[in-house]
Amino acid sequence: MTKKFSLRKLAALTMALALTVTASAAALANEASGKHFSIVEAASQENALSIPEIAQKCRTAVVAIETETTVIYNDYGSDYYNPFGSMFPGFGFGYGYGNPGGRSAPREYTQTGAGSGIILSEDGYILTNHHVISGADKITVYVMPEDPDAEEATYEATLIGSSESNDVAVLKIEAEGLNAAEFGDSDQLEIGELAVAIGNPMGNVHGSVTAGIISATEQELTIDDVTISAIQTDASINPGNSGGALFDSFGNVIGLVYAKSASVSIEGMGYAIPVNDIKTLVSDMINNPDSVRAQTLGSQIMLGITISPITEEMSKQYGYPVGLYITEVSSMSAAERAGLQRGDIIVEFSDEKVVTADDLNTLKAGHTTGDVVSIKVDRNGRELTLEIVMPQPTEVETLDK
């Protein structure tokens, strides 16, 4: 009995020594390579912050945003008229039940929305997503106080600049002494690092903090023809987090949270726009708006589709052709008018094969508004050739300060 006990102690001691040597070697290797912080060595990093410390430092650098948009619609004489009817075609939500067909004067209602933003400067410049403030008549910003017992400060914001094709916008509020966020280097991220998201989920939890890791970098994500090389994280992100910040372990912003329901409905898969990809555009929106107007960065022809690539491997596994699978078609878009449908697989555009979103964007760039372009799709195993009329490009909007 005594012999068995001694062997167990010896085995445990040997394992402990092995783990200690391995951990020491890993720490030395990391120090020698000069690599960015990894969550595995969190406790041993001299300047790394704990999650409570990140929350303490950064919560007041993230704001909540509320928007109001006036929507005008026609009442067609029915007591059951639904102003959202056009959103649900084919399901009986049209002009109402028993509609006598008489049109009265246009009516209006106020549609509200919510999101988040990042304080760029002490004097009130704020970064957010374009889709958070798009079309808004009124933008209200709520700034968290340093004193937890004090009330939030409320400001009405002015739109300084906005780019739909980059999903970036800059706001300005008349304030001083704000806690401006510090920005990091998103090119140095490693998979497995700590990631902390701060924002306004569901529009009613100002300054909510969630934590996880960096799940992937340079993750290609395409929504409404816009392709970004996104940061993926499993930190909880929900509608309302859009425009908020993704922080690294040092409390630096490394991503602008990009939360659209079409892309982040799956649990544990949230996305952020790397700050290195937008910092020049954002700086120019504030300091040099005339140059932004001249940039082609924010000028793209939007077909109105959301796509996902089908690779060679996927093609072999599932029997689909290589191409771009259409997951969504926007209502009233050029794609819808051309007859494109959800589930179609784009295999050629302008008589050229397309395999990636970059292929499609490159071919689009060779055409101008009004061009009629052939687009070949696979629809349930049958090839169809449709014609799409290239729409007006979406320009970067900049407003005088």
Side-chain angles (χ1 to χ4, degrees):
M1 189 72 178
T2 304
K3 188 175 182 181
K4 287 185 179 178
F5 178 75
S6 298
L7 288 173
R8 287 177 181 174
K9 287 182 65 177
L10 179 61
L13 179 60
T14 303
M15 183 174 291
L17 288 170
L19 289 172
T20 302
V21 172
T22 302
S24 300
L28 288 172
N30 189 62
E31 183 178 351
S33 66
K35 286 188 175 181
H36 194 66
F37 172 78
S38 173
I39 193 171
V40 178
E41 287 86 29
S44 62
Q45 289 292 320
E46 183 178 351
N47 298 320
L49 304 177
S50 66
I51 294 173
E53 287 172 332
I54 294 171
Q56 178 72 23
K57 173 186 176 181
C58 303
R59 283 185 78 208
T60 56
V62 179
V63 302
I65 296 174
E66 290 185 0
T67 61
E68 296 181 9
T69 305
T70 300
V71 179
I72 299 174
Y73 65 96
N74 289 308
D75 186 341
Y76 286 85
S78 170
D79 292 336
Y80 300 98
Y81 175 76
N82 177 1
F84 303 102
S86 61
M87 296 172 62
F88 305 101
F91 292 94
F93 296 100
Y95 294 137
Y97 303 100
N99 173 26
R103 177 180 296 194
S104 62
R107 298 188 182 185
E108 65 180 47
Y109 68 97
T110 300
Q111 178 177 295
T112 59
S116 308
I118 306 168
I119 298 176
L120 294 171
S121 64
E122 294 183 0
D123 61 346
Y125 283 98
I126 294 169
L127 173 65
T128 188
N129 287 130
H130 168 86
H131 76 262
V132 169
I133 52 79
S134 178
D137 300 309
K138 181 180 179 181
I139 305 171
T140 304
V141 171
Y142 298 87
V143 179
M144 295 187 66
E146 295 290 344
D147 181 357
D149 295 325
E151 293 185 358
E152 289 181 320
T154 305
Y155 302 90
E156 186 165 345
T158 302
L159 179 63
I160 298 299
S162 186
S163 169
E164 181 178 4
S165 59
N166 296 279
D167 207 1
V168 169
V170 175
L171 311 176
K172 179 70 167 67
I173 60 175
E174 296 305 316
E176 296 291 339
L178 301 179
N179 179 25
E182 296 177 8
F183 286 75
D185 185 354
S186 58
D187 289 340
Q188 298 300 315
L189 292 176
E190 291 183 1
I191 295 172
E193 288 192 50
L194 177 68
V196 175
I198 300 180
N200 177 29
M202 309 311 295
N204 54 18
V205 193
H206 298 185
S208 174
V209 180
T210 57
I213 62 170
I214 300 296
S215 304
T217 59
E218 300 182 359
Q219 181 72 21
E220 185 176 283
L221 183 67
T222 302
I223 297 178
D224 294 338
D225 291 355
V226 178
T227 302
I228 63 170
S229 183
I231 301 167
Q232 183 184 323
T233 179
D234 66 349
S236 181
I237 290 175
N238 291 288
N241 274 108
S242 297
L246 189 68
F247 294 94
D248 65 12
S249 351
F250 305 103
N252 297 323
V253 180
I254 41 86
L256 174 67
V257 172
Y258 183 68
K260 282 190 175 183
S261 58
S263 61
V264 295
S265 58
I266 299 174
E267 187 69 24
M269 292 181 67
Y271 298 94
I273 302 171
V275 293
N276 285 19
D277 292 354
I278 58 174
K279 60 185 179 182
T280 300
L281 174 62
V282 170
S283 177
D284 285 343
M285 282 183 179
I286 298 172
N287 301 312
N288 194 7
D290 288 337
S291 74
V292 176
R293 289 189 181 95
Q295 289 182 32
T296 58
L297 177 64
S299 176
Q300 291 192 8
I301 290 179
M302 311 291 285
L303 303 182
I305 52 176
T306 301
I307 54 179
S308 180
I310 296 177
T311 63
E312 291 279 0
E313 292 76 12
M314 295 170 65
S315 175
K316 292 176 183 177
Q317 184 174 358
Y318 299 106
Y320 293 119
V322 174
L324 301 175
Y325 183 87
I326 299 178
T327 59
E328 295 290 341
V329 178
S330 300
S331 178
M332 305 299 293
S333 64
E336 185 183 66
R337 289 192 292 270
L340 289 170
Q341 298 178 8
R342 179 178 180 179
D344 286 349
I345 301 170
I346 300 174
V347 293
E348 288 186 12
F349 186 89
S350 189
D351 299 322
E352 298 285 342
K353 288 185 178 181
V354 290
V355 177
T356 67
D358 286 342
D359 293 342
L360 179 60
N361 288 331
T362 299
L363 292 169
K364 283 194 305 177
H367 294 277
T368 60
T369 300
D371 286 354
V372 180
V373 180
S374 65
I375 182 166
K376 184 179 289 186
V377 300
D378 179 283
R379 181 176 295 169
N380 297 323
R382 185 166 62 96
E383 280 197 351
L384 299 175
T385 300
L386 306 173
E387 291 187 340
I388 188 167
V389 179
M390 303 301 280
Q392 290 282 349
T394 302
E395 301 290 344
V396 173
E397 300 174 18
T398 54
L399 306 179
D400 294 332
K401 291 182 284 182

